[in-house]
């Protein structure tokens, strides 16, 4: 009942009330398997409010409370995403790398690989970014993130002065939009 009420409030934009219900669920039923989902939802709420410290803590608690691999991967990725929002790219790369190593069979690995490339780019490690994005494109040729990876790859090539490869990647992005 607590999670349903909290989710309904969350869905209707009553974020403050939803947060109270999520916190009550955690307090009243600390051993429940739903606690992980409550922490995750609180992480989303705090991230939307740009309260990144609380967002990160709640995604971490969600990760720790979950026994399900997909939930752990989702929480770990959100922790990394929060670090990206904070512009702490080094911490983000470490978290994306953990997902890639520990959960290599996850359906969300393409996202982690792509975001690792973006974080490396932000750190001005353009060659590392290129390697990460090429790996993502090679290993996940049907990923919904392919156009994003091609675009980021084009940016990285441009930064190292390889304008022909940059042009090629940008043209792939433009051609994929036509399909």
């Amino acid at each position: 009942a607590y999670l349903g009420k909290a989710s309904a409030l969350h869905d209707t934009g009553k974020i403050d009330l939803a947060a109270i219900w999520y916190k009550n669920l955690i307090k009243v039923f600390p051993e429940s398997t739903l606690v992980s989902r409550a922490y995750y939802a609180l992480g989303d709420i705090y991230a939307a409010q740009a309260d990144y410290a609380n967002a990160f803590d709640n995604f971490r608690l969600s990760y720790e409370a979950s026994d399900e691999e997909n939930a752990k991967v989702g929480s770990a990725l959100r922790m990394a995403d929060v670090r990206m929002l904070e512009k702490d790219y080094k911490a983000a790369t470490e978290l994306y790398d953990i997902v890639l190593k520990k959960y290599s069979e996850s359906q969300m690995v393409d996202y982690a690989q792509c975001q690792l490339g973006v974080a490396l780019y932000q750190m001005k490690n353009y060659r590392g970014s290129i390697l990460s994005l090429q790996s993502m494109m090679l290993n996940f040729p049907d990923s919904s993130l392919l156009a994003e990876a091609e675009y980021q790859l084009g940016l990285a090539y441009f930064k190292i002065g390889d304008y022909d490869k940059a042009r090629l990647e940008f043209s792939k992005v433009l051609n994929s939009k036509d399909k």
Side-chain angles (χ1 to χ4, degrees), residues 41-78:
L42 284 168
D44 274 341
I45 289 170
Y46 288 124
Q49 297 171 337
D51 182 351
Y52 300 131
N54 277 320
F56 185 88
D57 286 343
N58 277 277
F59 289 128
R60 180 185 49 77
L61 290 166
S62 174
Y63 179 89
E64 292 170 358
S66 181
D67 293 329
E68 183 190 337
E69 184 171 303
N70 280 341
K72 282 189 169 296
V73 172
S75 296
L77 289 173
R78 292 295 283 139

Side-chain angles (χ1 to χ4, degrees), residues 14-161:
K14 297 177 181 166
I15 304 302
D16 292 335
L17 287 174
I20 291 168
W21 279 87
Y22 289 126
K23 289 174 185 177
N24 283 337
L25 184 153
I26 294 164
K27 184 178 180 180
V28 174
F29 304 104
E31 302 301 317
S32 170
T33 57
L34 301 177
V35 165
S36 173
R37 290 171 57 188
Y39 279 128
Y40 190 94
L42 284 168
D44 274 341
I45 289 170
Y46 288 124
Q49 297 171 337
D51 182 351
Y52 300 131
N54 277 320
F56 185 88
D57 286 343
N58 277 277
F59 289 128
R60 180 185 49 77
L61 290 166
S62 174
Y63 179 89
E64 292 170 358
S66 181
D67 293 329
E68 183 190 337
E69 184 171 303
N70 280 341
K72 282 189 169 296
V73 172
S75 296
L77 289 173
R78 292 295 283 139
M79 286 188 287
D81 292 344
V82 167
R83 293 301 188 228
M84 290 285 282
L85 291 168
E86 295 174 314
K87 298 185 182 349
D88 185 350
Y89 302 117
K90 184 176 183 337
T93 60
E94 291 167 359
L95 289 163
Y96 291 129
D97 200 45
I98 287 169
V99 170
L100 292 169
K101 289 178 179 164
K102 191 169 183 177
Y103 303 105
S104 61
E105 300 300 314
S106 169
Q107 294 177 342
M108 294 176 265
V109 170
D110 60 334
Y111 177 81
Q113 190 74 58
C114 187
Q115 288 301 102
L116 176 61
V118 173
L120 291 167
Y121 177 90
Q122 292 297 333
M123 295 171 65
K124 299 183 181 358
N125 180 350
Y126 304 120
R127 296 194 188 282
S129 176
I130 289 167
L131 291 174
S132 182
L133 294 164
Q134 285 176 331
S135 176
M136 181 267 180
M137 293 165 58
L138 178 67
N139 292 317
F140 305 98
D142 297 324
S143 173
S144 63
L145 300 170
L146 197 58
E148 172 70 17
E150 290 167 339
Y151 175 74
Q152 291 294 331
L153 189 57
L155 292 175
Y157 279 131
F158 187 85
K159 285 292 191 178
I160 64 168

